[in-house]
């Protein structure tokens, strides 16, 4: 099996007698274990009269099996053992996955395996879970992704399974002649066959032990080795479905053009990445690129290529563009320019092998320097890879580029023609002729003019300004992994000057040729008032827009950069291969002070940002309530509508004055971490200091925090049919022991809260609790969003649950408490999986003034010392009637003139 050079895991692929393909992985360094089962069955397999059945079955498998009949048993066991579990249903696959502490993995596998052997599919549970499906459907009823997706479904071949309604609701899943649990059983028996499943198990146990467990627990899954699933025979598009313009009206303001080319299944191309390479050429953003030319015209703000739906007998190759107001008027001209760029590719086939080799080298470097990701994500992705790649490439398949294949390239380019094209134009004010089922999306379908298609087909010459990518300047240096000079356990404050701290740590753990550089700049002008806070956010967006073309080669070379706003200023973060990162940082700092930002881009981004902020009240009610909560607790984090109002009245001259003022006086904190030695770090510091030498030094800005000192209720009306509730308790001190108490409280209560209010009482789809710190102050949040219950009812049910929780707390015994502590300790003690996560942790500690870098250790010590008696007392005190808290409630807006929240301070 092909694995990365820095991958120290051990792998073994086996196939059970029932046909189940299994990949066993031993990871001796991991504090957690994980497993994932992918099933080659999804909503494409739904019976025509039972759309949403595959999704419903996914929910039901968690609600009890023959040997573990309690509906919450698996979730509770995983949660108490420091883990997480989830699942998703796609078009042709469904995936179930979990992680857990290593000691509990065998018990978890014993329970997990029964999902696929004998799920109960209890008729009593189907009623409740059908309501959960309905709530999930209603939750996304105004989601533009779902709404646009449905319009797509209604304009393809109706005989293709893509046309089916994937989610399901009360109507499609209602009981008929038989109880739906019987139909779920039929679907399970037909499609949940071992030969169509792929399982990944990763733990710190020996491979032989994992193999024994696999045979013991998964051999009883029904299956027939070698049995093939019937292929999809119907094409996604008929002749009459091609050559159409689909106009779709979004819920939120959006202007987007998608040029879509129909392709067959392209799985066989994965070894050469033929289609991905073409997407790379069309999505290039350097000088002379399609993106650069269209942006220069003022027609687009963003471009991506290669995305689109795909399946076992189809692939949409999409070129997607975010349009400006002017661009929407010139969409035909944009399409003509796209075909002129396609001509450039076709005219330069002889130059493509060299460009392909560049891309191949980059993917190989990326694979060789691959870092571990979150284990639960890694195993779930791997189980899906096993459905598509041969055994040798389970791990490397996404990175494989065996060589430029001229024949497959020319075949793929033949699909990028006008007569094989569909257009999707998403914009407000569509003169709709249709409204989609389920989501009520207004849309219109028009035939593309045959005369225009002919004229597009005759385009045979690129524009003179068009260029293919050139040799990458960031790939000229050899990638070197430096020797470790002196192993450090924590960052070193290498330089401390007035207004400028420079921290450094050479990585001695992950040993990859990568690194991270952070530079945080605090300025009084970033927080002078709401207008300046809005301008800080606008500047970060405009900067990224202005340097995109210049630094696109850096992105291709495995480097990334972001300028983002934080409370008090701006943060520059670069990441990726360490080889050329210093040069990138130098050029970025030069651009930060000197790059030209034109008035036209200012006007465009200002307009887009104001729209984005004004659209925010159309987010999910729970999201909006959390936004309000954040603004109330953190004064330097205003609500979106305040930012929009402040920015709307700002002119270009004011922006330029702000930009100059921002950099006049700064406090700078920086951190270099990764594949560098101390001499490199000193060079970094000198270069950075040179760029910042003209700024007056100031003290760093302390982020203000509003301390909740009474019970405060806020009630809002939002333009959404759902109602919502968020209750927030803030820690009353900044002490570590109270942080741990709130973490432990969340760990004890979260699964019961979900089981009772979501699963049993069916209040809504979005129900939960979370540990939620703001500006380093700990807190715990409870949230519910409901399509059918008023916010005051949600609050009443929440209060009743909390009262019962306090009553039941007496029954919490020492054994169960120790299990909870062990589960939470697993979460806290989880090792950094990769350099990125460790860099983030160190950088967060620097920002929080934790210069000993031992918060993890302090939390574990406080947890060990926390007794059951103390925990019970803290829970009772936290949920007392008079404990200061925020109660945020939202209801559906009935009167457009009512916009202001009603707040009552003492309840």
């Amino acid at each position: 099996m092909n694995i990365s050079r820095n991958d120290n895991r051990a792998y073994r692929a086996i196939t059970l007698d029932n046909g189940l393909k299994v990949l066993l992985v031993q990871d001796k360094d991991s504090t957690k274990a994980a497993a994932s089962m992918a099933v080659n069955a999804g909503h494409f397999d739904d019976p025509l009269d039972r759309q949403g059945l595959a999704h419903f079955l996914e929910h039901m498998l968690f609600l009890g099996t023959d040997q573990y009949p309690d509906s919450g048993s698996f979730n509770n066991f995983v949660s108490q053992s420091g883990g997480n579990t989830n699942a998703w249903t796609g078009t042709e696959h469904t995936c179930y996955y979990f992680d857990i502490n290593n000691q509990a993995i065998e018990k978890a596998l014993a329970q997990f395996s029964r999902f696929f052997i004998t799920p109960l599919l209890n008729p009593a549970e189907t009623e409740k879970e059908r309501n959960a499906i309905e709530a999930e459907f209603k939750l996304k009823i105004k989601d533009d992704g779902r709404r646009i997706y449905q319009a797509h479904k209604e304009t393809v071949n109706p005989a293709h399974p893509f046309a089916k309604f994937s989610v399901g609701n009360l109507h499609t899943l209602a009981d008929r002649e038989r109880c739906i649990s019987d139909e779920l059983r039929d679907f399970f028996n037909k499609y949940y066959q071992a030969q169509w499943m792929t399982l990944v198990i990763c733990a710190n146990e020996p491979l032989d032990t994992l193999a024994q467990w696999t045979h013991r627990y998964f051999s009883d899954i029904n299956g027939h080795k070698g049995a093939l699933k019937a292929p999809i025979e119907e094409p996604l598009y008929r002749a009459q479905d091609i050559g159409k313009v689909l106009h779709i009206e979004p819920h939120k303001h959006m202007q987007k053009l998608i040029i879509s080319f129909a392709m067959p299944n392209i799985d066989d191309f994965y070894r050469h990445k033929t289609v991905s390479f073409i997407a790379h050429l069309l999505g290039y953003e350097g000088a002379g690129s399609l993106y650069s030319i269209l942006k220069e015209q003022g027609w687009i703000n963003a471009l991506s290529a290669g995305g689109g739906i795909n399946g076992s007998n189809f692939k949409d190759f999409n070129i997607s563009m975010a349009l400006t107001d002017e661009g929407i008027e010139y969409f035909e001209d944009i399409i003509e320019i796209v075909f002129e760029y396609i001509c450039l590719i076709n005219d330069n086939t002889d130059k493509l092998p060299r460009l392909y080799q560049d891309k191949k080298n980059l993917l190989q470097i990326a694979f060789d320097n691959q870092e571990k990701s979150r284990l639960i994500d890694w195993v779930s992705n791997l189980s899906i890879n096993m459905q598509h790649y041969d055994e040798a490439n389970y791990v490397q398949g996404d990175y494989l580029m065996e060589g430029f294949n001229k024949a497959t390239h020319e075949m793929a380019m033949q699909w990028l023609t006008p007569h094989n094209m569909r257009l999707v134009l998403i914009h407000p004010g569509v003169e709709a002729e249709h409204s989609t089922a389920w989501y009520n999306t207004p849309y219109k379908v028009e035939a593309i003019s045959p005369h225009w298609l002919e004229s597009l087909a005759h385009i045979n010459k690129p524009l003179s300004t068009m260029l293919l990518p050139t040799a990458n300047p960031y790939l000229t240096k050899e990638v070197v992994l430096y020797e470790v000079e002196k192993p450090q356990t924590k960052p070193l404050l290498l330089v401390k000057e007035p207004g400028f701290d420079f921290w450094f740590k050479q990585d001695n753990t992950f040993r990859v040729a990568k690194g991270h550089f952070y530079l945080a700049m605090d300025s009084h002008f970033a927080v002078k008032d709401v207008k300046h806070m809005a301008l800080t956010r606008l500047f970060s967006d405009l900067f990224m827009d202005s340097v995109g073309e210049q630094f696109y080669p850096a992105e291709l070379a495995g480097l990334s950069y972001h300028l983002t706003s934080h409370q008090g200023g701006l943060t520059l973060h670069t990441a990726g291969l360490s080889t050329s990162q210093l040069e990138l940082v130098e050029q970025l700092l030069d651009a930060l002070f000197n790059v030209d930002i034109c008035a036209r881009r200012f006007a465009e981004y200002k307009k887009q940002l104001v729209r984005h902020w004004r659209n925010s009240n159309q987010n999910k009610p729970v999201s909006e309530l959390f936004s309000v909560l954040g603004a109330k607790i953190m004064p330097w984090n205003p609500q979106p509508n305040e930012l929009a109002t402040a920015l709307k009245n700002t002119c270009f001259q004011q922006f330029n004055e702000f930009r100059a003022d921002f950099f006049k006086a700064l406090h700078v904190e920086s951190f270099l971490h990764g594949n560098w030695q101390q001499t490199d770090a000193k060079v970094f510091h000198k270069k950075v200091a040179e760029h910042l030498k003209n700024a007056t030094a100031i003290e760093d800005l302390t982020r203000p925090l509003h301390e909740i000192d009474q019970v405060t209720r806020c009630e809002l009306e939002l333009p959404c049919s759902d109602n919502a509730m968020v209750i927030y308790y803030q820690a009353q001190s900044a002490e570590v022991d109270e942080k741990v108490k709130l973490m432990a409280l969340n760990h004890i209560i979260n699964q019961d809260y979900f089981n009772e209010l979501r699963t049993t009482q069916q209040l809504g789809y979005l129900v939960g609790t979370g540990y939620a710190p703001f500006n380093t102050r700990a807190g715990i949040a409870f949230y519910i969003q409901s399509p059918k219950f008023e916010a005051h009812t949600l609050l009443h049910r929440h209060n009743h649950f909390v009262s019962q929780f306090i009553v039941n707390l007496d029954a919490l015994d020492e054994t169960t408490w120790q299990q909870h502590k062990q589960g939470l300790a697993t979460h806290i003690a989880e090792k950094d999986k990769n350099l990125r996560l460790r860099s983030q942790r160190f950088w967060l500690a620097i920002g929080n003034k934790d210069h000993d870098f031992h918060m993890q250790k302090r939390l574990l010590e406080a947890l060990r010392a926390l007794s059951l008696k103390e925990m019970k007392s803290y829970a009772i005190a936290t949920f007392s009637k008079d404990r200061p808290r925020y109660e945020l409630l939202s209801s559906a807006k009935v009167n457009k003139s009512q916009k202001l929240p009603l707040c009552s301070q003492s309840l």
Side-chain angles (χ1 to χ4, degrees), residues 552-569:
Y552 191 70
E555 289 189 63
L556 294 181
L559 290 162
S560 66
Y561 61 94
H562 295 281
L563 184 72
T564 54
S565 60
H566 65 250
Q567 293 180 68

Side-chain angles (χ1 to χ4, degrees), residues 821-839:
K821 283 178 72 170
Q822 179 58 46
L824 180 56
T826 300
H827 275 304
I828 295 172
E830 190 168 1
K831 292 179 182 177
D832 301 314
K833 285 283 185 291
N834 52 48
L835 184 69
R836 176 180 60 83
L837 291 174
R838 181 154 299 175
S839 294

